[in-house]
Amino acid sequence: MRSPTRARVVYERNPLAEVIFQIRYPINLAIERDLPTNFQKALIDSYPLLDVKRGVQLQLKVAGAIDDQPFEPRPSRVYDFTDIERTSRVSLSCDSLSFSTTKYKDWDHFRNALGEILAAFFSNYDQSLFTRVGLRYVNAIKPAELGLSTENPAEIMNPELVAPLTGFTERVFEHQALTIIEIPDGKISVRMALTKDEQGESYIFDTDAFHDEMFQANPDDVLARLEQYHLQHSDLFRWAIGDAVHAALGPT
């Protein structure tokens, strides 16, 4: 699936609430056992703050084994490396690596930051087998902040997305719809939501492109895959918003 290809733009009024990359892999005992000092050293200029959290890792046991015991969760460490503003975070655990930011500028900046993170990971850990990779974009369209009327949802978002709201938007307190679509080398989940609070209405357009079958990769392979996912996201977002929203966001 590819929605119609549109010219690439950067919006002056960026609607992105958060962009998230994550890659998962089989449990890496080196990350679980040792402090990630070299990984931290490679990233400390960009992400100098560190928080350590405790996650939960389930231990699976074979029924009938000599040491067969009830299931017990096993504590696992998650290392969060963040920038000074705490708007960007790198999270490392024994089975996943992620990078998220609430201050997305454009794809080139995000890709360069991610390239640095992947270089630090692959240079410190012998990992080439992965179980999932994903790139997620969470957009929040707030008509009131854009100076747009909220009377007709079809003027804010593509009519195909908001058809269930037609005619009674003012009475809808919350709306969500989820669709998962096959794309080349993966899938993309598309979540469309309408929420209301004291600040007004927000149209959430949340897309997550991912591959969830086991695969082998190096940093270049990962970035090449994400490049294609980024194009999918860009085309899908432009298809999803109305022309009035596109103009109000200030494309350049």
Side-chain angles (χ1 to χ4, degrees):
M1 169 262 177
R2 275 293 288 274
S3 48
T5 301
R6 310 291 183 100
R8 302 282 169 245
V9 299
V10 175
Y11 290 112
E12 291 182 1
R13 305 175 76 172
N14 194 337
L16 279 164
E18 190 172 16
V19 178
I20 307 155
F21 156 82
Q22 187 189 58
I23 194 164
R24 297 178 187 167
Y25 38 84
I27 293 173
N28 188 315
L29 291 178
I31 300 174
E32 180 67 14
R33 180 193 61 206
D34 303 326
L35 294 175
T37 52
N38 290 333
F39 183 80
Q40 180 187 37
K41 186 182 298 184
L43 299 177
I44 199 165
D45 289 342
S46 300
Y47 311 97
L49 305 180
L50 172 63
D51 295 311
V52 181
K53 301 182 298 187
R54 287 284 180 178
V56 175
Q57 183 187 119
L58 294 179
Q59 291 180 289
L60 300 180
K61 297 190 176 184
V62 178
I66 295 176
D67 62 346
D68 189 21
Q69 298 293 331
F71 289 101
E72 294 182 2
R74 174 183 174 183
S76 176
R77 286 187 293 259
V78 179
Y79 301 93
D80 285 342
F81 305 90
T82 58
D83 60 3
I84 291 292
E85 297 176 330
R86 291 192 179 274
T87 57
S88 297
R89 180 177 71 249
V90 180
S91 296
L92 175 69
S93 73
C94 65
D95 60 3
S96 70
L97 171 72
S98 65
F99 173 53
S100 63
T101 183
T102 57
K103 200 172 182 179
Y104 182 92
K105 182 177 181 181
D106 57 38
W107 173 246
D108 288 340
H109 283 80
F110 187 86
R111 186 187 189 282
N112 290 340
L114 187 53
E116 177 187 11
I117 295 163
L118 290 173
F121 177 81
F122 279 93
S123 64
N124 283 285
Y125 300 107
D126 184 17
Q127 189 69 53
S128 61
L129 184 64
F130 300 94
T131 57
R132 190 187 192 277
V133 62
L135 181 64
R136 181 180 178 189
Y137 283 64
V138 183
N139 293 274
I141 307 297
K142 301 181 179 182
E145 293 184 3
L146 298 175
L148 300 175
S149 169
T150 60
E151 292 182 4
N152 185 1
E155 294 180 357
I156 305 299
M157 306 298 290
N158 189 307
E160 294 182 34
L161 287 172
V162 294
L165 305 176
T166 303
F168 53 92
T169 310
E170 69 282 353
R171 300 200 301 271
V172 175
F173 177 73
E174 184 176 2
H175 165 76
Q176 292 195 48
L178 174 66
T179 305
I180 300 178
I181 305 165
E182 290 187 342
I183 58 175
D185 200 25
K187 302 181 184 72
I188 186 165
S189 69
V190 180
R191 185 176 73 92
M192 170 66 207
L194 171 63
T195 62
K196 297 181 180 180
D197 57 25
E198 61 276 4
Q199 304 299 320
E201 295 182 354
S202 295
Y203 288 83
I204 308 300
F205 189 66
D206 179 348
T207 54
D208 183 10
F210 61 94
H211 179 88
D212 58 356
E213 296 180 2
M214 199 168 293
F215 66 100
Q216 291 189 315
N218 58 39
D220 291 338
D221 296 333
V222 174
L223 289 173
R225 191 186 298 263
L226 296 179
E227 191 79 40
Q228 295 304 308
Y229 288 170
H230 164 66
L231 296 177
Q232 293 279 352
H233 284 294
S234 297
D235 289 343
L236 199 52
F237 178 75
R238 183 60 190 92
W239 168 85
I241 61 173
D243 289 341
V245 172
H246 174 68
L249 290 174
T252 59

